[in-house]
């Protein structure tokens, strides 16, 4: 039939992913870094995605398109909810890598900033544990001669798609929702962000689907004390921040929250 439906200009699209989050029917996805209308029959033609697009890449057009299939959208939504339920942790089922675990971290002694350090130049002689040129092996990662850095991660898994909604570590948690690149860009990520928080990560450009529904359930159904969102400065990370803030609104919770943006060279903006 001929009807109104959205049109996406890939040349104008910057791949931010905001339209993916705004489309509750799941009609839009990211492919090769660009937004794309995946299924005509999932698009209701109402254009909830238009106002969130920062570049104006989305418009309406009237053309031959499949009829909007509300029943198919409903089934897809229900299937996504089922897929986001807690994974099986039995010995015979479920992925071992997604089993829920918590870690008890020992208290660190004092403030790192007050630790006495020598500013004398390091000796040019190589560490005995360092491998010689051309030698491979694990010796190069022994940590000898490096300042000790402790992991602050308190739980597993960390990927938003894998964490169960009702994990025990969410009780009374300060929640960190972070773009996965942030930990690589910002050197003190464990110390400044993961410490004393439950960390979950994702990438709106690479992960299929939207995080809003899962994050809404986590916030609404657990006693979350605060929300910190850490994103990269690149436009596609806006999808993660948008999903988290929309989830907070939808949860009905009134808790402290903040968004921190990391530059690609590893500084806080």
């Amino acid at each position: 039939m001929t009807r109104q439906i959205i049109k996406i200009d890939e040349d104008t699209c910057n791949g931010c992913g905001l339209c993916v989050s705004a489309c509750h029917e799941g009609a839009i996805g990211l492919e090769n870094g660009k937004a794309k209308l995946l299924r005509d029959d999932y698009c209701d033609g109402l254009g909830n995605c238009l106002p969130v697009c920062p570049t104006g890449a989305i418009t309406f057009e009237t053309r031959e398109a499949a009829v909007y299939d509300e029943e198919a959208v409903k089934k897809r939504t229900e299937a996504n909810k089922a897929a986001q339920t807690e994974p099986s942790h039995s010995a015979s089922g479920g992925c071992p890598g997604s089993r829920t675990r918590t870690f008890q971290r020992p208290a660190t002694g004092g403030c790192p900033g007050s630790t006495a350090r020598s500013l004398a130049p390091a000796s040019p002689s190589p560490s005995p544990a360092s491998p010689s040129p051309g030698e491979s092996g694990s010796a190069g990662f022994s940590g000898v001669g490096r300042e000790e850095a402790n992991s602050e991660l308190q739980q597993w898994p960390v990927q938003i798609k894998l964490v169960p909604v009702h994990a025990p570590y969410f009780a009374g948690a300060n929640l960190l929702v972070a773009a996965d690149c942030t930990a690589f860009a910002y050197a003190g990520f464990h110390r400044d962000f993961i410490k004393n928080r439950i960390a979950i990560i994702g990438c709106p450009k690479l992960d299929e689907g939207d995080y809003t529904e899962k994050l809404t359930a986590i916030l609404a159904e657990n006693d979350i004390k605060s929300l910190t969102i850490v994103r990269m400065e690149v436009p596609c990370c806006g999808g993660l921040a948008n999903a988290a803030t929309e989830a907070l609104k939808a949860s009905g919770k009134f808790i402290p929250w903040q968004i921190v943006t990391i530059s690609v060279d590893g500084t806080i903006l």
Side-chain angles (χ1 to χ4, degrees):
M1 66 174 292
T2 301
R3 68 183 182 96
Q4 179 175 274
I5 197 167
I6 67 161
K7 179 182 180 181
I8 302 173
D9 182 353
E10 291 192 4
D11 293 333
T12 308
C13 174
N14 65 4
C16 69
L18 293 177
C19 57
V20 178
S21 300
C23 181
H24 301 297
E25 291 75 28
I28 306 175
L30 288 176
E31 290 189 359
N32 300 318
K34 299 287 186 177
K36 182 178 180 180
L37 179 60
L38 301 178
R39 290 186 55 160
D40 287 2
D41 58 340
Y42 279 10
C43 178
D44 58 12
L46 298 179
N48 289 336
C49 52
L50 268 70
V52 302
C53 179
T55 64
I58 306 176
T59 56
F60 284 122
E61 66 174 344
T62 300
R63 63 172 173 83
E64 283 290 326
V67 178
Y68 172 59
D69 192 339
E70 185 175 1
E71 187 62 28
V73 170
K74 182 178 179 181
K75 288 180 179 180
R76 176 188 178 278
T77 302
E78 291 174 350
N80 284 345
K81 286 182 178 179
Q84 291 173 354
T85 57
E86 299 186 18
S88 171
H89 305 313
S90 65
S92 59
C95 171
S98 63
R99 291 176 183 171
T100 300
R101 308 178 192 180
T102 57
F103 313 123
Q104 297 297 321
R105 297 296 181 189
T108 55
C111 171
S114 64
T115 303
R117 303 178 186 176
S118 170
L119 299 182
S123 169
S125 59
S127 165
S130 300
S132 58
E135 182 181 2
S136 61
S138 61
F141 299 96
S142 66
V144 176
R146 300 184 180 91
E147 182 181 348
E148 183 178 359
N150 297 312
S151 173
E152 299 291 348
L153 189 66
Q154 298 186 45
Q155 97 291 340
W156 185 266
V158 295
Q159 224 286 340
I160 295 173
K161 298 288 187 178
L162 297 180
V163 294
V165 170
H166 301 107
Y169 45 73
F170 284 134
N174 294 301
L175 183 63
L176 170 66
V177 178
D180 50 14
C181 292
T182 56
F184 292 93
Y186 185 71
F189 194 79
H190 276 251
R191 177 195 64 221
D192 294 344
F193 292 110
I194 295 183
K195 187 175 183 180
N196 299 323
R197 294 186 177 98
I198 294 300
I200 56 177
I201 67 169
C203 176
K205 192 166 186 176
L206 300 181
D207 289 342
E208 182 180 350
D210 179 27
Y211 302 124
T212 306
E213 193 170 332
K214 180 75 170 283
L215 292 176
T216 299
I218 291 173
L219 289 165
E221 300 175 29
N222 295 282
D223 181 25
I224 303 296
K225 298 299 186 185
S226 68
L227 173 64
T228 298
I229 304 158
V230 183
R231 55 162 291 183
M232 297 297 297
E233 65 174 322
V234 295
C236 57
C237 258
L240 180 71
N242 183 69
T245 53
E246 288 299 313
L248 183 57
K249 293 176 187 177
S251 72
K253 296 290 184 71
F254 297 93
I255 59 175
W257 66 280
Q258 62 176 327
I259 297 177
V260 180
T261 303
I262 308 296
S263 70
V264 292
D265 65 355
T267 58
I268 296 178
L269 298 178

